[in-house]
Amino acid sequence: MWLELEGAVNARDVGGIPTNDGAKIAPGRLLRSDNLQDLSPADVALLVNNMALDTVVDLRSPLEVAAEGPTPLTRLDHITHVNHSLLPEIGKDVTAEALLVRRRREEERYPDDPACAHYLGYVENRPDSIVAALRAIARASGTALVHCAAGKDRTGVVVAFALTVAGARREEIIRDYAATNERLPLILERLRSTPTYSGDIDSVPEDRHRPRAETMEAFLEQVDRRYGGVEGVLGRHGFGDDELEALYRKLRD
């Protein structure tokens, strides 16, 4: 369900997604979005009063957070904010050659699809952040919201993991990921309006930003083959059976 906000263009509730056992993901448990910096007072009221939001999981890097500044939600003491970047930490003295080597290694992970290769990098480089993000969702007493800059790549991966644990049908997880296409022109326009992202947006053709269903399908298949599935990734990095159950119940009960 799309959330029509004045200050975000890719916000939606994943509630209602069909599950493997014929049920559905519960509404009002997990929201996904693009950047929250521009939320209006009406947006904040909708999220807090109507949606019972109490936890925000920010997947952006510390540099992005510093550049964009705080969101209006940080002024509310009862909202828990956690920041778990999915990008590898880059030191100030990193060389151009080192960055090129890193980029080549990323491409080698899955040459057929650069976006899938990038997502596999999240799993390999920052499984700690994926685990921490899912832990925050499971522990939220009210509604949790996960976001990054565009709400499609980093957010797409964490939400896909959460929905998998909750037993959502894989084809529906892929469909939810690709739904961002409906808002892509608005997302790119919004990102172009800020110096933080404008250069990156126009450095590649617009079609490269498009979330393709085939990308998420390939990514989840590779997670199964390489790491023993979503639960295999999480289990190896400290997300125990009790936490899997808590996340399942959070999104289903």
Side-chain angles (χ1 to χ4, degrees):
M1 180 186 75
W2 289 104
L3 301 178
E4 301 300 337
L5 303 177
E6 297 172 357
V9 298
N10 191 24
R12 58 188 184 269
D13 185 345
V14 302
I17 290 177
T19 58
N20 292 316
D21 59 1
K24 293 182 178 180
I25 300 297
R29 304 299 176 83
L30 177 59
L31 312 179
R32 56 179 296 169
S33 181
D34 50 334
N35 248 341
L36 304 177
Q37 264 66 31
D38 300 327
L39 293 181
S40 69
D43 294 338
V44 172
L46 173 67
L47 292 171
V48 175
N49 299 331
N50 294 21
M51 304 297 297
L53 179 71
D54 79 345
T55 299
V56 174
V57 181
D58 186 348
L59 303 176
R60 297 172 301 158
S61 71
L63 289 176
E64 290 173 271
V65 175
E68 291 293 285
T71 81
L73 290 168
T74 59
R75 304 187 192 111
L76 304 178
D77 292 339
H78 69 283
I79 303 289
T80 298
H81 293 265
V82 295
N83 179 224
H84 300 297
S85 173
L86 293 196
L87 301 181
E89 298 296 334
I90 298 177
K92 293 181 179 179
D93 57 348
V94 67
T95 65
E97 182 179 357
L99 289 173
L100 181 60
V101 169
R102 176 176 289 173
R103 187 174 299 114
R104 286 174 177 168
R105 286 177 178 171
E106 180 173 281
E107 292 170 351
E108 289 170 357
R109 287 192 193 102
Y110 195 77
D112 294 340
D113 188 330
C116 178
H118 194 56
Y119 297 171
L120 291 169
Y122 300 158
V123 177
E124 293 182 9
N125 295 321
R126 299 309 304 265
D128 56 324
S129 287
I130 295 174
V131 164
L134 296 179
R135 190 168 283 146
I137 295 168
R139 292 177 177 176
S141 57
T143 301
L145 184 154
V146 178
H147 81 95
C148 52
K152 66 183 181 73
D153 299 314
R154 292 168 285 188
T155 297
V157 166
V158 168
V159 169
F161 268 52
L163 291 174
T164 298
V165 171
R169 293 167 58 182
R170 178 159 292 189
E171 62 266 30
E172 298 295 337
I173 296 173
I174 294 168
R175 184 175 289 113
D176 173 67
Y177 165 79
T180 290
N181 275 308
E182 298 178 33
R183 302 294 176 95
L184 188 63
L186 294 173
I187 295 167
L188 298 183
E189 178 183 356
R190 187 162 182 251
L191 293 176
R192 285 189 185 101
S193 70
T194 170
T196 308
Y197 304 110
S198 57
D200 289 337
I201 293 302
D202 293 325
S203 66
V204 298
E206 184 169 315
D207 193 61
R208 286 279 298 276
H209 296 292
R210 189 169 303 283
R212 300 165 55 249
E214 295 85 356
T215 293
M216 182 54 67
E217 182 179 15
F219 169 68
L220 292 173
E221 288 177 352
Q222 289 300 310
V223 169
D224 289 342
R225 293 177 184 178
R226 300 183 186 206
Y227 316 116
V230 166
E231 292 189 5
V233 172
L234 299 178
R236 278 194 297 277
H237 296 282
F239 201 81
D241 290 343
D242 56 336
E243 293 183 300
L244 288 169
E245 178 66 19
L247 180 57
Y248 177 91
R249 286 202 292 216
K250 173 68 180 178
L251 299 184
R252 294 290 299 272
D253 293 348

